[in-house]
Amino acid sequence: MTFFNVKALAVATATSAAALFSTAAQAVEIEYWQYFFDTRVEAMETLIENFEAANPDITVKMTHFPYADYRTKVAAAIPAGEGPDVVQLFYGWLNDYVAADLIQPLPSDVFPASKIDAEFFPMVQAMKEGDQYWALPTAVRSLALFYNTRLLEEAGVEPPTTLDEMIAAAKAMTKRDGAGNLTQVGMTAGMTAQDHHWWREGLVRQFGGEPYVDDYQTVNYNNEAGLEALNFYSSLFMGDDAVTSIGFMDEPQAAFKAGRAGLHIDGSFRIGSLEGQRGLNWGVTELPATADGTQSNYASYWVNAITTKAEGEKYDAAVKFMEYITGDEAMQVWLDVVGELPAKPSVGMTDENASDPVFGPFIRGLEYAHTTKFANESGQRQVMVEMVERMTLQGMSAEDSLAIAAEAEQKILDDYYKSASN
Amino acid sequence: MYRNLTIRQKQIVWAWAFLAIPILFYTVIRFYPTGNAILISFQDWNLLGDRTWTGFDNYQTLFADPVFWKVFRNTFVYLLIGTPVSLIISFVIAYHLDQVRFMHGFLRMLYFLPFMTSAVAMAWVWRWFYQPVPVGLFNNALASMGIPQFPFLQSTTWALPSVLAPAVWAGLGFQVIIFMAGLRAIPRSYYEAARIDGVSWWTVLWEITLPLLKPTIVFIVVFSSIGFLRIFDHVFNMTTNNPGGPLNSTKPLVLMIYETAFSAFDMGYAAAQTVVLFLVLLVVSLIQLRILRDS
């Protein structure tokens, strides 16, 4: 960390020297930071171009980093007076950034809470404190069920709409060789991918539970509903009539992409990498409902915020930029380029978008989606991974494994909220 | 002033002038961060907020954490299997390669090639070798012979050896080269004398070759021990979706430090783990130097 301080100091010295020698009275330049992902950078380049055309006195400089370094660099740069004026953050990080005084609330005259409450999907309200918003997303993500059209036709089944239909369809598409080794799975499975979201916010709720209480500070799945959800999930890959296996073709999305899996649950961000995959005909449908029609989904998002570094005319420019990138036009660009869903129903639920064969199921899923407030997403995912591994590798019962998982996840939450309150 | 110095004093001035650069470099890049890491290990810090003093809390949490002990054990399993196995294999290869004349350079290059290959690329290739049917090379071969699949990376027992194997293979090239240099440095006259006396092949190996290779062996043991105690890239890349899994059975200390620091952002706790790793490395290296240098 010291390394970054020293480096930031060096950069600061160099840039302030450069500032001395450059002529004043130019356009205001603000900096925007996001992590590197091809289509996100491309979409942002388009947005910046449009924004600069409309505001000739402001230039926006985008910097991007590999995801792995992102948080470290932001944390080191802002206190040093360097870095972004507008920054993109994962929604789960917001509390840490607020506590560390790295971002400032959005001005309530331009971003009135009542207007945002009315216009955005309700999950965005996690970013609200009192009558001010700390940050706003351009786009949101949800889950849906991808299916391989060719395999469905071959097996003579329709895209499933309920969990029972899903199991039946998956069984029809599962293939084994003479020795009983799976050569094609009816459905993919793996808590390491998106299944941990599906299990928490999807299955547990669909089986009548509520995965967390107390504003996501208390684990609440170690009960009948949680057990039913776990039994359902593990029935996919355990037992003689398993329709999948964990680690088949290394990663769930790899198996689906290679055309060796009939069904695959994944996020809207997967669309981009599946499009143009040769020889793969696929479709999307909403996550399967229970027999009585209960649906539940998981949504997450990245938000944009103004950092405490932005002051004076840069602050005004940053507010204008924020207004643009969380507006209707930006949301449509983001949907078209990145494949992420608009954060406002007015943009997302247009007839064209909601009935889009690819985006439609994801957008409709947003209406019944929940957003998990993570303390440590990868740590909490690991708990789910190990919950399943204890059953598959060590033969532990679902009850015992579920209880251990609930305890382990509660410990992560306790440690996080305990140190946050210090 | 410089003019009035004696030649000897001038030499000292120049020596210090040149030494100052590495000293400065080491102070800024090595010693200062090391000291800082030790400091952070007594603090609570999430990288963004203030640092607060917590005394020995991080160490208490560490020693009460069952995952830490599991990881500690794994780290030593990597060391205790990896070092002797790679030492023996590389010596056997070097010993025989030394006597081969036919295509000597080409063969030596083949052994050295894995060492030059990126560990990340290599780990991913092996990861795919180990996959179950229908993609894994090994399991496809087994299945085609009618043998049941082997759960290389999907077993709490076999995952660690499976990860270790390519790591050993990757380090062989370097050790073979060092051993060959050591073998070449042994004067031929000893072997000639032994041949005149008519002693056995085994006696030559045991009484001449190995004792004279001792400095080489010490170097390789210390060097590869440090390498196995710090193993990270092979494990991380072969188990990225479930780092150190299944069920922490392959997780080494360095990977635990990485996760604590850059997934959980618990810098104090990660620093405490780093200090423990540092002490382990120090103690192991000192013991090895002691044992192998004496007698």
Side-chain angles (χ1 to χ4, degrees):
Chain A
M1 300 331 92
T2 29
F3 171 68
F4 288 113
N5 283 337
V6 172
K7 198 174 140 196
L9 185 72
V11 174
T13 324
T15 44
S16 53
L20 275 178
F21 295 108
S22 66
T23 47
Q26 280 178 344
V28 184
E29 187 184 84
I30 56 170
E31 262 199 70
Y32 178 77
W33 280 19
Q34 69 168 338
Y35 74 93
F36 180 79
F37 190 83
D38 247 340
T39 51
R40 302 177 82 91
V41 171
E42 191 189 324
M44 191 41 79
E45 274 164 1
T46 312
L47 293 181
I48 288 173
E49 215 168 277
N50 294 349
F51 176 74
E52 286 177 346
N55 298 276
D57 55 333
I58 303 174
T59 56
V60 183
K61 191 179 145 211
M62 172 169 57
T63 309
H64 45 78
F65 300 102
Y67 179 72
D69 302 342
Y70 189 68
R71 182 166 155 140
T72 330
K73 295 221 173 176
V74 173
I78 298 175
E82 274 304 308
D85 300 286
V86 179
V87 67
Q88 200 177 64
L89 309 168
F90 189 61
Y91 75 95
W93 299 348
L94 191 85
N95 289 340
D96 292 345
Y97 277 75
V98 171
D101 204 22
L102 294 177
I103 59 174
Q104 46 184 321
L106 302 175
S108 48
D109 52 335
V110 186
F111 298 95
S114 54
K115 188 161 163 258
I116 293 170
D117 289 350
E119 285 183 354
F120 281 74
F121 279 109
M123 60 195 147
V124 170
Q125 287 168 20
M127 303 292 110
K128 184 168 70 167
E129 197 178 303
D131 54 356
Q132 272 191 315
Y133 268 87
W134 281 99
L136 276 179
T138 305
V140 291
R141 310 148 154 195
S142 63
L143 301 178
L145 182 68
F146 289 84
Y147 54 85
N148 185 315
T149 319
R150 193 177 56 80
L151 298 186
L152 278 182
E153 277 168 12
E154 208 177 83
V157 284
E158 291 291 307
T161 55
T162 65
L163 292 172
D164 293 339
E165 283 176 25
M166 183 185 82
I167 299 284
K171 278 194 179 135
M173 290 185 285
T174 307
K175 284 186 190 162
R176 292 173 185 275
D177 66 9
N181 299 319
L182 283 165
T183 54
Q184 177 179 304
V185 293
M187 153 158 211
T188 61
M191 287 292 194
T192 54
Q194 298 299 312
D195 284 6
H196 71 112
H197 296 308
W198 179 47
W199 188 82
R200 272 196 201 92
E201 299 291 1
L203 292 175
V204 170
R205 287 182 191 273
Q206 285 177 298
F207 283 96
E210 193 183 348
Y212 304 86
V213 289
D214 299 338
D215 198 24
Y216 285 92
Q217 296 191 19
T218 307
V219 172
N220 188 42
Y221 52 69
N222 186 15
N223 49 33
E224 197 54 37
L227 187 61
E228 270 183 58
L230 182 57
N231 279 329
F232 174 81
Y233 183 68
S234 57
S235 73
L236 295 174
F237 46 83
M238 292 178 80
D240 294 332
D241 54 352
V243 296
T244 187
S245 77
I246 304 265
F248 177 78
M249 292 193 73
D250 200 19
E251 289 176 326
Q253 60 270 30
F256 186 76
K257 218 171 164 178
R260 294 266 192 168
L263 304 170
H264 173 57
I265 288 176
D266 213 328
S268 33
F269 42 82
R270 190 69 59 200
I271 296 168
S273 72
L274 290 177
E275 268 172 357
Q277 174 74 10
R278 275 181 53 191
L280 180 70
N281 291 321
W282 54 276
V284 196
T285 183
E286 286 177 69
L287 287 186
T290 55
D292 62 3
T294 312
Q295 288 180 295
S296 190
N297 203 322
Y298 163 79
S300 68
Y301 46 93
W302 282 71
V303 293
N304 299 294
I306 300 178
T307 67
T308 43
K309 182 206 152 202
E311 284 168 356
E313 56 181 0
K314 287 199 178 209
Y315 176 77
D316 299 335
V319 170
K320 269 191 193 167
F321 186 60
M322 267 298 291
E323 208 181 350
Y324 177 70
I325 59 174
T326 56
D328 296 8
E329 186 185 320
M331 287 182 189
Q332 192 65 46
V333 168
W334 210 263
L335 175 68
D336 296 338
V337 179
V338 188
E340 286 191 330
L341 319 166
K344 279 184 187 176
S346 62
V347 185
M349 304 301 271
T350 58
D351 284 344
E352 197 190 333
N353 285 340
S355 60
D356 186 288
V358 175
F359 296 126
F362 292 100
I363 292 174
R364 292 196 297 275
L366 286 175
E367 290 195 301
Y368 48 86
H370 299 268
T371 298
T372 317
K373 285 189 187 170
F374 286 108
N376 169 3
E377 190 185 359
S378 56
Q380 288 172 264
R381 182 187 70 174
Q382 194 59 31
V383 169
M384 299 284 117
V385 172
E386 290 179 5
M387 174 169 79
V388 168
E389 282 178 346
R390 281 190 296 270
M391 295 170 68
T392 57
L393 300 178
Q394 299 183 328
M396 192 183 272
S397 71
E399 288 92 341
D400 294 347
S401 194
L402 185 69
I404 294 175
E407 200 180 313
E409 189 167 2
Q410 188 61 54
K411 189 173 175 301
I412 294 178
L413 295 175
D414 286 346
D415 287 349
Y416 176 77
Y417 289 107
K418 187 189 70 195
S419 70
S421 63
N422 275 345
Chain B
M1 193 172 115
Y2 177 73
R3 221 176 260 183
N4 301 331
L5 297 177
T6 64
I7 288 182
R8 169 113 188 98
Q9 282 168 326
K10 279 183 184 170
Q11 280 174 338
I12 290 170
V13 168
W14 276 106
W16 275 105
F18 282 108
L19 278 176
I21 294 165
I23 286 172
L24 188 73
F25 181 81
Y26 267 88
T27 314
V28 174
I29 302 290
R30 288 268 154 139
F31 301 139
Y32 175 64
T34 307
N36 220 338
I38 294 171
L39 200 68
I40 294 172
S41 75
F42 296 102
Q43 293 172 330
D44 186 29
W45 188 37
N46 72 353
L47 198 63
L48 301 176
D50 294 327
R51 299 184 188 180
T52 46
W53 285 98
T54 54
F56 283 92
D57 276 11
N58 288 325
Y59 290 94
Q60 274 167 4
T61 319
L62 190 64
F63 295 130
D65 186 349
V67 176
F68 169 72
W69 290 110
K70 170 87 188 155
V71 163
F72 197 75
R73 202 184 134 258
N74 290 343
T75 309
F76 275 91
V77 173
Y78 280 117
L79 170 75
L80 294 176
I81 299 179
T83 304
V85 166
S86 65
L87 191 76
I88 290 167
I89 297 179
S90 60
F91 176 73
V92 171
I93 293 172
Y95 185 78
H96 289 98
L97 196 57
D98 190 45
Q99 293 163 359
V100 172
R101 288 286 151 266
F102 177 66
M103 296 218 296
H104 176 88
F106 179 71
L107 287 173
R108 202 171 51 181
M109 190 264 300
L110 283 187
Y111 281 108
F112 196 66
L113 217 51
F115 183 71
M116 301 197 300
T117 312
S118 144
V120 176
M122 191 189 292
W124 275 85
V125 170
W126 279 79
R127 174 182 174 155
W128 283 87
F129 282 172
Y130 284 143
Q131 290 303 311
V133 175
V135 282
L137 184 77
F138 298 150
N139 274 322
N140 269 343
L142 291 177
S144 68
M145 290 184 284
I147 301 170
Q149 296 195 57
F150 191 82
F152 293 101
L153 294 173
Q154 268 102 0
S155 145
T156 46
T157 321
W158 294 108
L160 193 147
S162 303
V163 170
L164 186 59
V168 168
W169 177 59
L172 277 188
F174 178 73
Q175 300 189 6
V176 166
I177 297 292
I178 300 290
F179 262 129
M180 285 183 62
L183 286 169
R184 291 281 164 93
I186 299 173
R188 305 244 49 106
S189 53
Y190 292 162
Y191 291 107
E192 280 157 14
R195 206 180 310 147
I196 291 164
D197 287 349
V199 291
S200 69
W201 165 84
W202 176 252
T203 315
V204 171
L205 177 70
W206 197 251
E207 298 293 340
I208 300 175
T209 312
L210 287 179
L212 289 171
L213 270 181
K214 195 154 190 187
T216 313
I217 294 172
V218 171
F219 173 76
I220 291 179
V221 166
V222 172
F223 200 82
S224 78
S225 300
I226 293 175
F228 284 116
L229 285 174
R230 296 193 312 185
I231 188 167
F232 173 82
D233 32 14
H234 282 93
V235 190
F236 186 63
N237 284 290
M238 291 177 79
T239 62
T240 38
N241 292 327
N242 180 8
L247 292 171
N248 297 319
S249 59
T250 60
K251 190 179 281 179
L253 197 45
V254 183
L255 183 51
M256 188 183 180
I257 294 171
Y258 174 81
E259 287 195 314
T260 313
F262 300 110
S263 296
F265 295 103
D266 193 346
M267 292 296 158
Y269 192 32
Q273 293 163 17
T274 314
V275 171
V276 170
L277 175 66
F278 172 70
L279 292 176
V280 168
L281 282 172
L282 192 71
V283 169
V284 168
S285 305
L286 286 178
I287 290 175
Q288 285 174 342
L289 284 174
R290 197 58 188 268
I291 291 177
L292 291 167
R293 245 188 213 151
D294 281 3
S295 71

